[in-house]
Amino acid sequence: MTGEVLRAHRLTRRYGEGGGLVRAVDEVDLSVPAGQTLVIMGPSGCGKSTLLHLLGGLLRPTSGEVWLAGRRIDTLSERALARLRRNGVGFVFQSFHLMEELTAVENVELAGLLAGQAPRAARRRATHLLERVGLANRAGHLPSALSGGQRQRVAIARALCNEPLVVLADEPTGNLDSAATLEVLRLFEDLRTTGQTLVVVTHDHRIAAVTDRMITMRDGMFADDSRLANLATTPLYDGWR
Ligand code: ADP
Ligand code: MG
């Protein structure tokens, strides 16, 4: 798709009240064009996860608007939001959130089955996605038999299962050692070249190598928003690939 995939308008989420009031996200405006890889950084507690959850319809704003592919989503019914979370958005979490009793391929295809894909089509797609993330030979493994980097790659394959408009990743390398972090960053780089719209929240500065744009958040607001046109074409890693 072309044009704008995500838009936030004066997006605000508060927690608590009175003296305990926290402005987790405070009147944020954001526009993410199709195909952009956007990285959001900032100190712990600045509102990154809250923002990501608002953008993906996991959380409702206190005020303001969220638009996905031209459709306002913050006002949708619970039912429509659940459908959107299954079909329109792919989530990647720090702690993977895989089903421990399902194999890698079953974890990926489950997302397709829940979205209404026929079993055979879901399996075919899951198998293809595991190939794409370099795990064809681990399809039958349980998560417990996979390394952290492999688990996160399964989770990314799962996030891609329904061809989401946007992939939202919250500290996707937060639980990984540096070798596994590189595996995941390399995969994000692949996604970027295929035009997948991607929003990644992270502490990890190495992710600058695979991004088009970096926003720094502080106290629920954007402190800085830079386009990194140069970085996008400059591999920063020795031994990348
Ligand atoms: P980050 O992901 O950048 O660490 P969060 O979005 O998790 O930040 O949190 C932003 C602020 O909102 C923090 O001050 C946090 O303590 C607060 N917060 C987050 N979730 C809740 C909640 N469910 N209830 C109350 N306060 C919350
Ligand atoms: Mg967080």
Side-chain angles (χ1 to χ4, degrees):
M1 84 167 280
T2 55
E4 181 185 66
V5 168
L6 257 183
R7 167 182 292 273
H9 177 63
R10 301 187 68 170
L11 188 59
T12 299
R13 172 71 197 207
R14 301 192 192 100
Y15 294 109
E17 51 189 52
L21 178 76
V22 176
R23 293 173 206 276
V25 172
D26 197 5
E27 306 243 324
V28 159
D29 287 314
L30 175 67
S31 170
V32 183
Q36 185 168 74
T37 295
L38 165 64
V39 168
I40 300 176
M41 301 194 79
S44 183
C46 73
K48 304 181 299 296
S49 295
T50 301
L51 175 62
L52 210 62
H53 290 183
L54 291 169
L55 293 177
L58 289 179
L59 187 67
R60 297 222 189 235
T62 307
S63 62
E65 302 170 7
V66 181
W67 296 74
L68 182 65
R71 183 169 170 221
R72 186 161 175 193
I73 66 163
D74 58 282
T75 48
L76 290 176
S77 68
E78 277 308 317
R79 210 163 190 228
L81 263 188
R83 201 178 319 124
L84 176 109
R85 289 192 296 260
R86 280 196 303 270
N87 296 315
V89 183
F91 285 99
V92 178
F93 300 97
Q94 178 170 356
S95 50
F96 323 128
H97 290 195
L98 296 175
M99 309 275 278
E100 291 298 325
E101 66 280 17
L102 299 183
T103 63
V105 72
E106 288 167 348
N107 265 285
V108 177
E109 78 182 351
L110 182 61
L113 294 171
L114 290 174
Q117 287 178 22
R120 265 203 215 160
R123 174 58 62 105
R124 219 173 17 242
R125 174 132 180 93
T127 303
H128 166 74
L129 284 167
L130 284 179
E131 273 167 33
R132 188 164 160 202
V133 301
L135 292 175
N137 59 355
R138 296 287 187 278
H141 286 52
L142 293 173
S144 56
L146 300 174
S147 71
Q150 291 171 338
R151 283 183 221 194
Q152 193 59 299
R153 279 147 67 199
V154 172
I156 292 167
R158 178 184 58 190
L160 296 171
C161 193
N162 298 314
E163 300 184 335
L165 293 160
V166 60
V167 171
L168 303 172
D170 193 355
E171 310 270 10
T173 62
N175 277 342
L176 302 179
D177 63 26
S178 48
T181 293
L182 281 184
E183 289 173 24
V184 167
L185 293 186
R186 191 177 298 157
L187 191 49
F188 284 151
E189 166 72 350
D190 283 345
L191 290 183
R192 191 170 73 80
T193 41
T194 62
Q196 173 69 55
T197 311
L198 183 61
V199 181
V200 186
V201 158
T202 185
H203 278 106
D204 194 331
H205 285 271
R206 286 172 295 182
I207 206 156
V210 298
T211 191
D212 301 313
R213 177 183 179 191
M214 180 111 64
I215 288 176
T216 307
M217 258 184 108
R218 237 176 275 302
D219 299 332
M221 292 182 275
F222 291 168
D224 186 57
D225 184 350
S226 22
R227 304 313 199 263
L228 302 170
N230 308 332
L231 288 181
T233 51
T234 313
L236 286 189
Y237 293 100
D238 286 326
W240 183 265
R241 244 165 260 274

